[in-house]
């Protein structure tokens, strides 16, 4: 589906998709999710629930497990219209798995020039994690027009405003790390282009109800 798109095209697609619904939920597989029948796993049940709520973007964290790719394939077959990405890509092995599956995008918690170069060579959209103005500028120079600000909760709500004045135009910025459903509107209003929330957020009291309300 995505094999004919260049890295730039994939980045533009991701930005356009997140502009329509600026939220990503990140799920991390547990060992039990990878051992039994995939569609009966707690992770897949959570994916079913989120898709039913109307969520468009879900990331499954990369784990170095022999059945990880099969899990991703099972989810894609079950939810073919879901914009499925990969989180926690920090190695060439993880990035190669994303490339082999021709997934639309992947995210990393760090800025690794070697991984970015490898992604571009294979027309893969890799969103690097950045924290400082220097890292943001380096990512743009490397051709990354979408970045993940991580960990966002450490940098704070006003960080976007504080760096936008001296830096000028900023890349498309996804805030991730330590945020909750209650942070969605304030952080989006503060200038961040999209928000990524972790699996743990969904286990808090009323989180699913709050997420359902936000999505509608």
């Amino acid at each position: 589906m995505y094999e004919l798109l260049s890295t730039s095209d994939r980045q533009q697609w991701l930005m356009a998709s997140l502009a329509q619904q600026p939220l990503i939920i990140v799920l991390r597989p547990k060992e039990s999710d990878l051992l039994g029948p995939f569609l009966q796993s707690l992770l897949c049940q959570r994916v079913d629930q989120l898709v039913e709520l109307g969520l468009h973007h879900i990331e499954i964290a990369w784990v170095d497990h022999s059945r990880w790719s099969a899990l991703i394939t099972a989810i894609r077959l079950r939810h073919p219209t879901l914009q499925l990405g990969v989180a926690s890509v920090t190695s060439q092995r993880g990035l190669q798995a994303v490339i082999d599956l021709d997934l639309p995008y992947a995210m990393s918690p760090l800025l690794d020039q070697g991984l970015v170069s490898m992604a571009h060579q294979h027309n893969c959209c890799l969103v690097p994690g950045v924290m400082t103005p220097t890292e943001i500028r380096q990512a743009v120079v490397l051709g990354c027009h979408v970045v993940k600000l991580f960990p966002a909760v450490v940098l704070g709500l006003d960080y976007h405003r504080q760096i936008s004045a001296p830096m000028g135009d900023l890349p498309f910025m996804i805030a991730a790390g330590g945020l909750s459903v209650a942070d969605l509107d304030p952080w989006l209003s503060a200038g961040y282009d999209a928000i990524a929330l972790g699996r743990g957020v969904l286990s808090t009291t009323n989180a699913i109800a709050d997420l359902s309300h936000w999505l509608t």
Side-chain angles (χ1 to χ4, degrees), residues 190-208:
Y192 299 94
D193 298 291
I195 309 295
L197 302 180
R199 179 179 190 168
V201 171
L202 301 179
S203 63
T204 60
T205 304
N206 299 324
I208 292 296

Side-chain angles (χ1 to χ4, degrees), residues 60-62 68 86-96 98 105-110 112 115 126-127 148:
I60 307 298
W62 155 254
W68 181 86
V86 179
S88 303
V89 174
T90 59
S91 66
Q92 290 189 2
R93 183 175 174 85
L95 182 57
Q96 189 61 55
V98 175
Y105 72 99
M107 289 195 187
S108 177
L110 49 83
D112 183 311
L115 288 180
L126 176 66
V127 178
K148 179 175 79 169

Side-chain angles (χ1 to χ4, degrees), residues 110-170:
L110 49 83
L111 175 61
D112 183 311
Q113 184 172 348
L115 288 180
V116 171
S117 177
M118 178 179 172
H120 287 184
Q121 289 174 12
H122 293 274
N123 291 327
C124 176
C125 176
L126 176 66
V127 178
V130 296
M131 190 174 185
T132 66
T134 298
E135 289 179 336
I136 295 170
R137 178 58 54 83
Q138 288 176 340
V140 172
V141 170
L142 292 173
C144 301
H145 303 297
V146 186
V147 299
K148 179 175 79 169
L149 187 71
F150 178 83
V153 71
V154 173
L155 297 168
L157 181 67
D158 290 333
Y159 189 70
H160 190 283
R161 177 184 59 79
Q162 291 169 344
I163 63 174
S164 63
M167 292 190 67
D169 291 338
L170 295 172

